[in-house]
Amino acid sequence: MPKPFQKPIYVTRPFLPSLDEFSKGLQEIWSNEWLTNNGPVLQRFQKELCHFFETENLCLFNNGTLALQIALQGLRLSGEVITTPFTFVATSHALYWNKIRPVFVDIEPEHYTLDPAKVEAAITPWTTAILAVHVYGYPCRLQELADIARRHKLLLLYDAAHAFGVTVDGRSIGSYGDLSMFSFHATKLFHSIEGGLLMFSNPNLKKLFDYLKNFGFENELEVVMAGTNAKMNEIQALMGLQVLGHLEGIVSRRQQIDAIYRSLLKQIPGLKIPSLPADNVHYNHAYFPIEIDAQAFGMSRDALHAALQKYNVFARRYFYPLVSDFSCYRSLSSNDPLATAKRVARRILTLPIYDSLALPDVNRICDIIAYLGSGKSNGASTAPRMRATELSPVASAKRF
Ligand code: T4K
C-alpha cells in the first residue's frame, strides 16, 4: 500500500526566484521610491514582454479578470457573446460586468476548447463577438473560429489565461484573433504574483486601454473617459521580470513531469489522457488533466479526488461545476445541451504539475492512483495493473 505524502502536494505551486535575486530587485525599487503608476520596473517588464511577444500592441494590468473586463468595455461590446462553460468563472464574469449576455456552447471532446460548429449554430443578430478559451493552454481551433468570425463580422477574442508561452506555427498564441488576455496569477506557470496582459491586433487600442486602466487620465488636469484603476505595481512587475528569465526552465521541467504522468497513467484502465497538441504547437504544459471513467477505473472522479486527499495529494476538479451551472448563470437559457462539457466536467481531474514538484513524487502520485484504481484500497482483489515504480525510474529532480 503506498504511503501518504508527509507534506501536502498541491495542484500547483508558484515558481519563485531566489530570495537573493528578488531582494536585489527590491533594493532598486526602494531606492527609486516608486511603487506604482507606470514606474521604471513596469516599463522594463513591458519592454521585455514586447520583445517576447514580438509586438508593441500590449498592455499590462493588475490581474487578468480586470484586463478582460477592460478589453470588453474598450471594444464597446454589447448584446450576446458566444463563449464556453468549461472555464474558470472569470471568463463569464467579465462579460456579465459589461452587461453582455454569455451564450454558452459546447466544447470538443479531445482538448475541451469551443466546438466551432456549435459556435456557428449559436450566432444570432445580437451576437457581437466570440470569446474562446485556450483551456489548459490547448490552442482553440484557430482557423475555424477565424473563418466564422470573418464570415459573420464578429470580433474574435481569446481568454489565453493558461496559454503563456504557447506558440502555433512559430507565432505566439496571442497573435491570433483580435485580442487575447493572459493571466499572470501566482497559480500560472508564468506569473507576477497577480497580473494580466492584453495583446491585440489594432495598435489604436493601446492608448484606449492605457486610459481605461488609469482612471482615464490624459494629464494632471484632464480626464478623457471614465476609466478605473487596474494598474500593475512595481513589485508585481519585478516578479514578472524575474520569472520571465526562468520561463524556459519552467516549461521544460513541466514537460518532464507531463511525460512521466503520460507514460505511467496510460497503463491504467479507465483513465483518459488528452493527447498532446499537434506538432506545430509549442505547448507550455500548464495543467495535467485526466478524465476518469468511473466504471472502468473502479472509482468515480469525486471518489478519486477525495481518496487522493487522504494521501495528501490535492488534485483539483478544474473546471467543475460548469460556469453555466453556477446560480448566477443558471437562468440563462441555452439551445445547446452542452453534452460534452457536462460529461467532461463530471470526469475531469487536474493533477499536480509545477516546476518544484520532485520527479520521484510524480511516480508516487501515479503509484497511488494505480493502487486506488486497482480496487485494493477497498479490499477487492483484482490483479495489479501496473507497477509504476518499476517504470522509468526518474532522474534526480534538479531545481533551476
Ligand atoms: N480566465 C481563466 C481561464 C482563468 O483560469 C483565470 C484564472 C482567469 C480568467 C482570471 O485571471 P486572474 O484574474 O486570476 O488573473 C485559481 C486562480 O486564483 C485563478 O487565477 C485561476 N484562473 C484559477 C484556474 O485557479 P483557485 O481558487 O483554484 O486558487 P487557489 O487559491 O485554490 O489555488 C490553487 C492551489 O495553488 C492551492 O491549492 C495551492 C496553490 N497555491 C496558490 C496560491 C494563490 C500556492 O501554492 N501558492 C499561492 O500563492 O483559483
Side-chain angles (χ1 to χ4, degrees):
M1 180 180 158
K3 283 205 182 86
F5 284 92
Q6 292 217 305
K7 285 194 184 152
I9 302 284
Y10 295 112
V11 69
T12 190
R13 305 246 72 182
F15 173 87
L16 289 168
S18 75
L19 206 47
D20 239 24
E21 189 185 350
F22 200 66
S23 307
K24 284 199 186 97
L26 285 178
Q27 275 165 18
E28 182 195 332
I29 293 175
W30 256 239
S31 65
N32 291 338
E33 294 183 69
W34 197 278
L35 298 180
T36 185
N37 289 6
N38 202 26
V41 183
L42 177 114
Q43 288 179 29
R44 215 158 65 230
F45 183 34
Q46 184 161 301
K47 210 162 148 203
E48 292 274 320
L49 288 169
C50 287
H51 180 71
F52 180 83
F53 282 109
E54 297 176 344
T55 180
E56 299 282 310
N57 298 342
L58 44 84
C59 191
L60 279 164
F61 295 85
N62 58 351
N63 64 59
T65 306
L66 274 173
L68 191 54
Q69 276 177 219
I70 286 176
L72 298 167
Q73 177 156 120
L75 294 166
R76 295 182 170 276
L77 288 172
S78 60
E80 297 178 353
V81 168
I82 297 171
T83 192
T84 168
F86 190 70
T87 180
F88 189 62
V89 72
T91 315
S92 300
H93 282 355
L95 294 169
Y96 188 90
W97 275 62
N98 278 281
K99 301 190 168 53
I100 296 167
R101 179 171 185 256
V103 174
F104 298 111
V105 304
D106 211 352
I107 55 174
E108 49 84 26
E110 187 57 34
H111 288 127
Y112 317 128
T113 60
L114 272 184
D115 179 341
K118 299 291 175 65
V119 171
E120 188 136 33
I123 294 171
T124 71
W126 296 277
T127 310
T128 52
I130 301 164
L131 175 53
V133 180
H134 303 301
V135 68
Y136 306 134
Y138 298 144
C140 291
R141 304 263 193 94
L142 302 168
Q143 193 55 53
E144 288 158 87
L145 291 176
D147 289 345
I148 295 169
R150 185 180 34 77
R151 267 190 277 114
H152 295 272
K153 298 190 170 43
L154 302 174
L155 281 183
L156 178 54
L157 316 178
Y158 286 111
D159 177 334
H162 304 169
F164 194 88
V166 174
T167 65
V168 179
D169 289 327
R171 274 171 56 194
S172 163
I173 190 106
S175 67
Y176 292 84
D178 295 292
L179 174 144
S180 298
M181 178 280 283
F182 294 89
S183 163
F184 297 169
H185 185 264
T187 54
K188 303 294 184 287
L189 79 145
F190 172 76
H191 76 94
S192 58
I193 307 175
E194 292 257 11
L197 179 86
L198 293 179
M199 179 167 168
F200 32 87
S201 56
N202 177 353
N204 299 328
L205 291 173
K206 167 92 178 120
K207 187 99 183 127
L208 176 65
F209 293 146
D210 280 342
Y211 283 136
L212 284 173
K213 75 173 180 189
N214 187 27
F215 312 100
F217 271 117
E218 171 67 37
N219 56 46
E220 240 176 274
L221 300 178
E222 223 179 327
V223 169
V224 294
M225 63 185 73
T228 183
N229 180 1
K231 288 167 276 121
M232 176 178 275
N233 68 47
E234 289 289 274
I235 295 180
Q236 289 174 286
L238 174 65
M239 180 63 89
L241 253 179
Q242 296 198 349
V243 178
L244 192 58
H246 294 274
L247 183 69
E248 229 175 90
I250 293 170
V251 172
S252 91
R253 178 48 176 266
R254 284 167 170 266
Q255 194 267 332
Q256 288 176 284
I257 293 171
D258 181 312
I260 297 171
Y261 273 139
R262 224 163 259 284
S263 77
L264 297 183
L265 297 180
K266 74 176 182 215
Q267 309 173 44
I268 304 178
L271 300 186
K272 180 186 162 197
I273 304 167
S275 59
L276 283 167
D279 286 347
N280 63 334
V281 176
H282 172 72
Y283 183 48
N284 64 0
H285 304 276
Y287 291 83
F288 195 88
I290 56 172
E291 279 182 60
I292 291 105
D293 174 335
Q295 228 174 4
F297 181 68
M299 183 180 262
S300 71
R301 183 277 310 271
D302 288 340
L304 175 60
H305 175 248
L308 282 171
Q309 293 190 0
K310 299 208 169 102
Y311 287 86
N312 239 346
V313 176
F314 294 86
R316 290 293 288 264
R317 288 167 289 187
Y318 293 137
F319 290 97
Y320 166 83
L322 289 181
V323 173
S324 47
D325 285 336
F326 286 125
S327 58
C328 49
Y329 294 111
R330 222 176 284 149
S331 62
L332 293 177
S333 63
S334 171
N335 292 331
D336 191 322
L338 307 175
T340 305
K342 283 180 183 161
R343 181 172 47 81
V344 173
R346 272 197 311 270
R347 294 162 42 123
I348 205 82
L349 192 66
T350 49
L351 300 182
I353 184 163
Y354 48 91
D355 68 281
S356 58
L357 179 59
L359 301 185
D361 287 349
V362 184
N363 277 32
R364 275 180 71 189
I365 294 168
C366 293
D367 263 347
I368 295 168
I369 295 173
Y371 175 77
L372 292 168
S374 70
K376 283 184 175 173
S377 59
N378 304 323
S381 63
T382 47
R385 287 165 177 144
M386 68 175 286
R387 278 171 295 178
T389 39
E390 284 182 7
L391 287 159
S392 56
V394 167
S396 70
K398 192 165 152 266
R399 185 97 160 84
F400 41 83

